[in-house]
Amino acid sequence: MRELELLAPAKNLECGIAAIDHGADAVYIGAPQFGARAAAGNTIEDILKLCEYAHQFEAKVYVTVNTIVFDNEIQQLKCLIHELSNIGVDAILVQDMAVRKILIDEYAASDFIPSLHASTQTDNQTAEKVRWLKSIGFDRVVLARELSIEEIAAIHQEVPDVELEVFVHGALCVSYSGLCYASQYCFNRSANRGECAQFCRMKFDLLDANGREIEHQRHLLSLKDMCQIDNLESLALAGATSFKIEGRLKDAIYVKNVVAAYSERLNQIVQHHPEEFCRSSKGRCKYQFTPNLQKTFNRGYTTYFANGRRADIASFDTPKAMGEFVGVVKEIRGRQSFNIASTTSFTNGDGLCFFNDNHELEGFRANKVEGNRIFPLKMPSSLRKGMRIYRNNDIQFERLLSKPSAVRKIAVTMQLIASQQGFSLLVDNEQVAEIIAEHQLAQTSQRENIVRQLTKLGDTPYECSKVKLPEDFPYFIPSSRLTELRKKAVLALMEKSQEATKKRRERIQHHQENKKSEDSVPVPQYPYTFLYNIANTVASSFYQQQDVKNEVSAFEVQTPDYPLIMQCRYCLRYTLGYCVKNGGKRPSWKEPLSLQLSDGRLFRLEFDCQHCQMNIYGMTKQRSPHD
């Protein structure tokens, strides 16, 4: 039996609680510092509250400490790790090996050490890398988004005793995570420091070696959003343990909808494979809405490389959210309104959009709606009959999710029995509460009142699915004593939950204390040593122990000349239909190709066909056709 985990993002405490309420088995949240989303930090107090809430359902809380760290921040890092360990977080996501070295090599055996998860920022593409990470103390590895289901299965087969976490939903980076230096190179904002400047969402010209323009001002590196909901079962069978939703900058409405959709699908998978899988936390959710992934932020969806290379994974026309397709413009009436051929219901204030004749996404608000006739506040001048309309802001759906929209409860069964000194209450066949009371015979049946009093579980995490009571139960018990018995039972269940959390921490602690005995595995080698992302002396010391010789500083510390700034499995030549290796047309252009920003900065493309990879290099100056 393998536990499956739905892992949700938490921008803050509110989003974290919403994720748990809507079916997440675990959440990941940013620490006050050193998280790969600098804008999504949280206080230790809020993380503690989230732990207390999640642990009621045996759900887990993981904290992101997955940026690279500079020497002047090491002491702050040590203090942060100590605080996180003290409040009982279940795991820490790590990129910088200084964090790993501090946790495993410097903590005393008496200290609680959370589990170590290797962030996707550590560039986890191969079984070789996963095996090495296991050997140095990591319990879980977050795999690169680019891997196929077949590749994930192969990694699991080679390294079966490591938990594999895979991204299943949300925004895609065009470069392998941890190996993108474009923001640092162009804007002095490091993605490895949580300050990505969204270089890949910008407009570029595509030029050949002679300066001939192949594509003009298009979002050539901007990818659609990932959606693997239809691949969850295949991913589980391949060996994935945790299914991760991207979005630590997303609001609670996004989290509620996406988590609910994926949680329902995971439940179906568990039902189809009851001997193989179970959920990793307790409690079932009741929703006040029907989840719909088309109704929350998306740039169009792709399964990326899950089932092999595809050409339709990019979104050249816009990096913005399109939303759901709702119909086609049927008629335009003057400059006031237009009619949509659609079965969709619209609401005043809905956000609508379309692609104009320049292939640009143009949006507007529906000021007034009469059936399928839309009255914009200002009629878009470029709207034409026959154009496809999308809704990227569904007002009615958002109003519904802005309110309490789900309740999560742990179902229990209760059994009331007479004991020698009074009455005992069994919950799930285990005695948890007892009261001393005389056995007073009832004149009429007390069954209805007993069931009513015992099942008043209110705002506790529990709900009673069944009360076992003989039809001829002969005793009268005052309602006040039944209430007392119920409260004792709830308190006992809460203590049991806390004990389970304590035992889980003890298991983690025992496991962590034995990590140093792992067999040595050689560290995978990089062609450029700055790719190790070594930004401090602690990490440097760690890699020296791993026999990495002559390592150089991270890109953020010492920038190379004309460096490799992105490594991508995504390939422009393939996407444009010119990959001869895969049956594409033979290009007429002269290589090397370059991407050019509107300010004239150029970036050379290298097509590494042996590894089926596109590399992007910084060039810093505009190039003339004679260069």
Side-chain angles (χ1 to χ4, degrees), residues 555-625:
F555 193 102
E556 289 78 2
V557 177
Q558 183 178 345
T559 303
D561 293 329
Y562 307 112
L564 174 66
I565 62 171
M566 278 187 172
Q567 298 182 57
C568 316
R569 178 169 279 191
Y570 164 75
C571 175
L572 263 174
R573 195 157 66 180
Y574 181 91
T575 300
L576 293 170
Y578 291 99
C579 177
V580 178
K581 182 179 178 181
N582 286 285
K585 297 176 290 185
R586 186 169 297 278
S588 60
W589 61 61
K590 182 180 178 182
E591 295 189 7
L593 303 183
S594 297
L595 294 173
Q596 180 175 254
L597 285 172
S598 58
D599 62 6
R601 281 183 288 180
L602 284 167
F603 306 89
R604 179 172 62 86
L605 302 183
E606 173 188 76
F607 299 101
D608 181 356
C609 295
Q610 180 182 353
H611 299 100
C612 218
Q613 179 170 300
M614 181 177 76
N615 297 324
I616 304 177
Y617 291 84
M619 295 176 65
T620 72
K621 71 183 183 72
Q622 186 168 10
R623 180 182 58 188
S624 75

Side-chain angles (χ1 to χ4, degrees), residues 187-220:
F187 310 109
N188 201 33
R189 289 175 54 179
S190 169
N192 283 322
R193 297 272 294 166
E195 299 173 337
C196 174
Q198 302 277 300
F199 173 85
C200 57
R201 303 298 181 188
M202 295 179 172
K203 284 184 176 182
F204 297 93
D205 298 326
L206 180 63
L207 308 178
D208 74 359
N210 294 321
R212 181 168 66 92
E213 189 174 83
I214 301 165
E215 294 284 345
H216 177 71
Q217 287 298 284
R218 303 193 74 187
H219 302 277
L220 298 173

Side-chain angles (χ1 to χ4, degrees), residues 224-235:
K224 296 178 181 178
D225 286 358
M226 177 184 278
C227 180
Q228 303 285 18
I229 194 163
D230 292 329
N231 286 324
L232 284 184
E233 186 171 17
S234 296
L235 287 165

Side-chain angles (χ1 to χ4, degrees), residues 138-208:
F138 286 90
D139 305 293
R140 176 182 293 186
V141 175
V142 187
L143 295 177
R145 294 170 174 87
E146 290 80 359
L147 297 185
S148 68
I149 295 171
E150 185 178 345
E151 288 171 316
I152 292 168
I155 290 173
H156 175 64
Q157 189 171 4
E158 288 196 42
V159 198
D161 49 354
V162 174
E163 295 179 3
L164 299 180
E165 182 178 305
V166 296
F167 280 91
V168 294
H169 195 90
L172 286 167
C173 299
V174 73
S175 173
Y176 285 104
S177 294
L179 305 183
C180 179
Y181 307 97
S183 291
Q184 174 68 29
Y185 184 71
C186 294
F187 310 109
N188 201 33
R189 289 175 54 179
S190 169
N192 283 322
R193 297 272 294 166
E195 299 173 337
C196 174
Q198 302 277 300
F199 173 85
C200 57
R201 303 298 181 188
M202 295 179 172
K203 284 184 176 182
F204 297 93
D205 298 326
L206 180 63
L207 308 178
D208 74 359

Side-chain angles (χ1 to χ4, degrees), residues 23-43:
D25 300 295
V27 294
Y28 63 104
I29 187 169
Q33 297 169 281
F34 311 122
R37 297 290 184 275
N42 292 273
T43 65

Side-chain angles (χ1 to χ4, degrees), residues 107-164:
Y107 264 57
S110 58
D111 296 321
F112 171 69
I113 308 173
S115 290
L116 272 175
H117 292 182
S119 168
T120 189
Q121 295 293 122
T122 55
D123 177 38
N124 309 315
Q125 304 178 40
T126 64
E128 178 191 22
K129 185 65 173 284
V130 173
R131 187 180 294 108
W132 176 70
L133 288 165
K134 175 186 180 296
S135 76
I136 61 170
F138 286 90
D139 305 293
R140 176 182 293 186
V141 175
V142 187
L143 295 177
R145 294 170 174 87
E146 290 80 359
L147 297 185
S148 68
I149 295 171
E150 185 178 345
E151 288 171 316
I152 292 168
I155 290 173
H156 175 64
Q157 189 171 4
E158 288 196 42
V159 198
D161 49 354
V162 174
E163 295 179 3
L164 299 180

